[in-house]
């Protein structure tokens, strides 16, 4: 199975959701990307349709915004 | 593994998220509850902390609000 990508920015809501997602779908099935630190992937996240973090982009390209930590604009600062 | 519970209300955002969640975690690991139809479970969803649908309540009780379809108030009507 192709991996999902979990974008987050280190916020408490993000970390909590990251743990839940890894428990649910398995660490081997998800790439975790901290776009607060790996800033050259912010553009990729936006192009995938990510409006806020935490968000999970599924293997078929759908974006699941999970709870609400911060907007992409906030992450860009 | 205990099942997660996916609460939804039949909205397009809900149906899309339902397909994604089932693809990600497997139909056998999630109970799908349509609280627009099974109205006697709205109270249970609220007590679990569900504020809007679609939402996934994990086996450890965390609530993941996924995208945004409708508020619980909207579902109550």
């Amino acid at each position: 199975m192709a991996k999902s990508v979990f974008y987050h920015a280190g916020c408490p809501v993000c970390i909590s959701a990251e743990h839940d997602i890894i428990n649910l779908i398995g660490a081997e099935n998800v790439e975790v990307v901290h776009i607060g630190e790996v800033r050259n992937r912010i553009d990729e996240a936006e192009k995938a349709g990510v409006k806020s973090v935490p968000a999970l982009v599924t293997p078929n390209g759908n974006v699941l915004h999970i709870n609400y930590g911060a907007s992409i604009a906030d992450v860009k600062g």
Side-chain angles (χ1 to χ4, degrees), chain A:
Chain A
M1 188 171 85
K3 282 194 180 193
S4 299
V5 184
F6 181 81
Y7 294 100
H8 75 101
C11 54
V13 168
C14 295
I15 302 298
S16 175
E18 178 186 342
H19 291 163
D20 289 327
I21 290 296
I22 285 176
N23 285 340
L24 288 168
I25 72 179
E28 70 279 14
N29 294 318
V30 58
E31 179 188 9
V32 175
V33 179
H34 188 326
I35 55 173
E37 293 176 346
V38 190
R39 301 188 67 82
N40 62 1
R41 294 190 66 177
I42 294 176
D43 188 52
E44 161 198 310
E46 281 192 302
K47 283 183 178 152
V50 174
K51 309 287 190 196
S52 63
V53 287
L56 187 73
V57 178
T58 69
N60 62 10
N62 289 348
V63 183
L64 303 178
H65 296 95
I66 299 168
N67 294 334
Y68 181 83
S71 70
I72 287 286
D74 289 337
V75 175
K76 284 176 162 178

